[in-house]
Amino acid sequence: MSLFHPVNLLCPQCEAPVSMSAVGSVNADRRPDLRDDILENRFQDAACPACGESFRLQPQFNYLDAGRGQWIAAMPANRLRDHLELEDEANDLFSTSYGSQAPAAAQEVGKGLTVRLTFGWPAVREKLLLRQLELDDVIVEMMKLHILRSVETAPLAEGIELRLVDVDEETGSYVFAWLETASEKYIEYLNVPSELYVVIHDNPEGWAAIRGRLETGPFVDMQKLYMGEGRHTGDERQAG
Ligand SMILES: [Zn+2]
């Protein structure tokens, strides 16, 4: 079931009260239109009835697509710094919904699900797109690390992120975009040959250490490697 609840907010432009339905959970098997809305960047859009200003609620919902094997805790962009705490919350919620603490029938569904945690709309959209393209999201994060090391300048800063947003139909290359997470404003695009994905895919030993650091929890995103100490993997000494 997909669940919505009413929220009252103020228009960011004219401060008129606006009522809308905020989503708490999305079931993409029963509501494929909601998945389409996320992919089309229009889910949870609202318009102010007084001045017409359009704006978008930040994501805060659980996403289930049993058919495609995805379960995502989609969080607002401004919670990024709390990623370790929210990873624990997502793991707990998944555990009682589809994991070891869930009823047997739900556990059957859970076996086929990959658990992820995302912040902001571009990140959750990217996870859906990667599944549609049948790409491993861990490898795509490795591609981003490679891109960062390869380009002379990158607009890397807090609140700015790199996302795979499209495939170039003509060349088959992947289109990445630097964008502002909260506003979804695009800063610049870059085309990356699909061979990079293949090269990383075919060298699992060379990337094993990075994979280990990306897979410490459901927040599979290269940004975690730049934020604080992160979660320690088993073979690392506890620092400080
Ligand atoms: Zn307004």
Side-chain angles (χ1 to χ4, degrees):
M1 202 167 15
S2 298
L3 296 171
F4 290 84
H5 55 270
V7 288
N8 298 305
L9 14 124
L10 296 179
C11 168
Q13 182 68 28
C14 74
E15 300 194 346
V18 183
S19 309
M20 65 177 292
S21 282
V23 77
S25 74
V26 171
N27 183 323
D29 301 287
R30 294 185 193 170
R31 291 290 305 273
D33 57 308
L34 301 182
R35 176 176 175 273
D36 293 344
D37 286 349
I38 296 171
L39 284 167
E40 296 296 327
N41 290 316
R42 63 186 176 215
F43 190 45
Q44 299 276 269
D45 270 350
C48 171
C51 75
E53 172 82 3
S54 64
F55 52 93
R56 194 175 191 189
L57 278 188
Q58 276 292 311
Q60 182 145 18
F61 58 89
N62 310 309
Y63 177 91
L64 171 68
D65 186 338
R68 294 182 181 81
Q70 288 190 290
W71 188 93
I72 302 170
M75 291 292 131
N78 66 8
R79 299 294 311 275
L80 179 64
R81 288 255 157 209
D82 305 322
H83 65 100
L84 291 178
E85 177 192 335
L86 291 170
E87 275 192 331
D88 292 340
E89 284 182 21
N91 281 332
D92 287 348
L93 180 60
F94 182 81
S95 169
T96 53
S97 309
Y98 298 100
S100 57
Q101 308 297 312
Q107 286 192 34
E108 270 312 302
V109 176
K111 279 179 195 165
L113 297 173
T114 302
V115 182
R116 290 293 183 254
L117 168 68
T118 60
F119 297 91
W121 286 113
V124 60
R125 177 188 184 272
E126 183 186 50
K127 294 297 183 196
L128 304 195
L129 180 65
L130 297 184
R131 183 53 57 96
Q132 180 166 303
L133 298 170
E134 298 182 350
L135 298 178
D136 176 350
D137 63 339
V138 180
I139 293 180
V140 171
E141 294 306 312
M142 294 168 180
M143 291 174 78
K144 295 175 188 176
L145 290 166
H146 179 86
I147 292 166
L148 275 181
R149 288 196 292 244
S150 314
V151 296
E152 275 183 20
T153 58
L156 186 67
E158 184 152 352
I160 308 286
E161 57 184 22
L162 183 61
R163 296 284 165 209
L164 194 159
V165 294
D166 205 356
V167 177
D168 186 320
E169 298 279 337
E170 253 172 57
T171 61
S173 61
Y174 299 122
V175 183
F176 285 77
W178 286 103
L179 48 85
E180 212 175 74
T181 310
S183 68
E184 302 170 51
K185 204 170 75 186
Y186 283 68
I187 298 164
E188 66 182 61
Y189 290 94
L190 58 162
N191 273 48
V192 177
S194 57
E195 285 78 13
L196 178 61
Y197 182 93
V198 178
V199 166
I200 296 173
H201 178 271
D202 291 349
N203 181 19
E205 293 84 12
W207 286 89
I210 299 283
R211 178 175 283 274
R213 293 179 66 194
L214 287 167
E215 289 187 323
T216 51
F219 179 46
V220 173
D221 191 307
M222 68 146 180
Q223 292 181 96
K224 75 200 282 180
L225 307 186
Y226 295 91
M227 285 187 303
E229 286 186 23
R231 197 182 295 276
H232 291 270
T233 52
D235 52 15
E236 275 176 318
R237 188 174 57 86
Q238 186 79 29

